[in-house]
Amino acid sequence: MAVAVVLMAGGGGTRFWPRSRQARPKQFLALAGEQSLVQLAYARLEGITDPDQVWVITSAAHRSLASAHLPQIPGEQIVGEPCGRDTAACLALGTLLAARRQPDTVVVATPADHIIEPVQQFRRAIQSACQVAQECPRALITLGIAPSSPATGYGYIQRGELLSRRLGLGVYRVRAFREKPPLELAREYVASGQYYWNSGIFVWQAQALVAELQRQQPALLAGISEIVRVWDTPARAEVFGRVYAELPRISIDYAIMEGCQECLVIEAPFVWDDVGSWKALERLHPQDAQGNTVLATHCGLDTHDCIIVGEPGRLIATSGIQHLLIVQDGNATLVADKRDETAVKKLVEYLQSRRMDEYL
């Protein structure tokens, strides 16, 4: 079985400002150890396929940074999008580029900014999905995460009938995709036992995605096909920039998955964290006796339930505070109520509105 990988490494990661900046977004940060998130994502895929079958889709501004983080991958397979067009265009481009070499390839598509443990169970799930993709050539397959809480920040997948088991994992028909729900509805989803969190990880035969694009998003397919046709010619840069900018900005879920004729979900056997905000550090790192998560040189009095992050050699001293997020990085320091997960994004938008680009 021929397997290719599309590693989605775009996005700005504004919820991790000020450590995540325009020149160094979240996927290039080391938030759970010494390796960056994109390096951890690639390491999880080792053994699934060879480096010359891995396509990294990032922004044009971060192509060199991606190459520095992933020197194993041939430079021509690290693709810089001229502009962001969400995951439908990204995955269509990666899939069609992989299919140029091997039309019958199975494509594994995964974000580059998640934490997944244990790695062996992730590989088991991917191998299971690849088997299903080979057996069901028209199917689009996603991995569902058994919810540990009624989270309102994730999309949900409602499973239908059990079709089979592969490597001990249940393969279900997808009944519906559900958008991020209010808390009461999320509680109902979890209590029912029929719903998964949407991991954003997909597996399909390249031609299966092409067929669904032709059926549901023919204009997007036509644009990506035009770009891929000139990929090895001097016209690439001009066509890529012009055509890509005209593509719809739409996620793969809205564009394809929700209307897919044969959509399957496999229950993931691993622990998954999408590292969506600074609060993720509380899940990834231990707390001190006062409930603080500290990744800094810190000296505190009467400091409780805070997240404190700083650069080496920079002291952060606190007294008489609780429930705060404090992040010192370079020329910016953030202080916010850690219980408001939208606060950082709002601050970044405010800085943008004031054109304070030197801090972004």
Side-chain angles (χ1 to χ4, degrees):
M1 181 195 328
V3 177
V5 167
V6 178
L7 193 58
M8 296 177 278
T14 56
R15 287 182 174 86
F16 279 88
W17 183 86
R19 181 146 291 178
S20 177
R21 307 282 185 111
Q22 291 175 351
R24 185 193 58 195
K26 178 182 71 170
Q27 57 270 28
F28 301 107
L29 301 180
L31 297 173
E34 295 183 358
Q35 289 186 299
S36 66
L37 294 180
V38 72
Q39 288 171 329
L40 290 173
Y42 176 72
R44 285 194 293 272
L45 295 160
E46 288 184 319
I48 301 291
T49 193
D50 296 325
D52 62 1
Q53 298 299 322
V54 177
W55 294 86
V56 179
I57 313 296
T58 187
S59 71
H62 301 128
R63 189 170 175 271
S64 296
L65 186 58
S67 292
H69 279 245
L70 300 171
Q72 311 94 321
I73 299 175
E76 65 270 17
Q77 288 169 218
I78 297 179
V79 178
E81 294 176 296
C83 56
R85 282 297 174 263
D86 216 319
T87 52
C90 166
L91 291 177
L93 177 62
T95 297
L96 265 67
L97 287 172
R100 287 168 72 238
R101 295 184 179 174
Q102 210 144 9
D104 61 347
T105 192
V106 172
V107 173
V108 176
T110 179
D113 57 357
H114 294 174
I115 299 291
I116 292 174
E117 294 178 336
V119 170
Q120 293 84 352
Q121 294 289 17
F122 170 78
R123 292 173 182 158
R124 174 186 167 208
I126 294 299
Q127 288 164 357
S128 170
C130 288
Q131 287 183 14
V132 174
Q134 194 170 36
E135 295 164 8
C136 305
R138 293 180 298 177
L140 305 185
I141 303 146
T142 186
L143 301 187
I145 310 298
S148 58
S149 66
T152 59
Y154 300 142
Y156 285 73
I157 301 169
Q158 184 182 16
R159 75 183 187 198
E161 63 180 306
L162 175 67
L163 300 179
S164 63
R165 290 192 178 274
R166 290 293 180 274
L167 301 181
L169 303 178
V171 182
Y172 299 87
R173 198 173 301 281
V174 171
R175 182 169 294 168
F177 286 84
R178 307 294 185 185
E179 290 308 304
K180 298 174 183 178
L183 182 58
E184 285 305 314
L185 190 55
R187 286 174 175 154
E188 291 179 19
Y189 287 172
V190 174
S192 75
Q194 298 180 10
Y195 289 83
Y196 298 118
W197 288 338
N198 188 346
S199 71
I201 301 170
F202 306 98
V203 178
W204 47 56
Q205 285 200 29
Q207 295 310 312
L209 181 67
V210 170
E212 283 293 345
L213 286 167
Q214 183 62 59
R215 189 175 69 86
Q216 299 189 66
Q217 298 288 335
L220 190 151
L221 176 62
I224 295 294
S225 298
E226 182 179 354
I227 293 166
V228 171
R229 273 196 301 270
V230 301
W231 196 255
D232 291 328
T233 75
R236 181 208 293 187
E238 187 276 327
V239 173
F240 195 9
R242 173 174 52 81
V243 174
Y244 210 75
E246 297 170 352
L247 297 178
R249 186 190 295 268
I250 187 171
S251 73
I252 193 71
D253 297 295
Y254 282 135
I256 296 297
M257 301 303 291
E258 291 186 1
C260 175
Q261 290 184 321
E262 189 171 353
C263 189
L264 308 179
V265 60
I266 295 175
E267 182 170 332
F270 48 76
V271 177
W272 170 89
D273 196 311
D274 77 337
V275 199
S277 72
W278 282 114
K279 278 184 68 67
L281 296 188
E282 294 181 320
R283 301 187 293 269
L284 301 174
H285 298 277
Q287 283 72 56
D288 65 16
Q290 286 72 47
N292 301 302
T293 304
V294 180
L295 282 77
T297 302
H298 173 243
C299 184
L301 296 173
D302 191 23
T303 297
H304 303 274
D305 192 31
C306 293
I307 300 171
I308 301 169
V309 180
E311 292 179 304
R314 300 269 188 159
L315 172 66
I316 298 177
T318 60
S319 179
I321 62 170
Q322 60 181 343
H323 310 313
L324 288 185
L325 167 63
I326 302 171
V327 183
Q328 178 278 320
D329 193 275
N331 63 354
T333 300
L334 165 71
V335 180
D337 186 334
K338 75 161 196 175
R339 296 167 295 185
D340 181 2
E341 294 210 50
T342 66
V344 179
K345 185 177 181 181
K346 290 176 182 175
L347 271 171
V348 170
E349 291 171 350
Y350 183 57
L351 291 171
Q352 290 170 337
S353 72
R354 296 191 61 188
R355 299 184 180 179
M356 301 177 74
D357 295 347
E358 67 270 29
Y359 302 106
L360 297 172

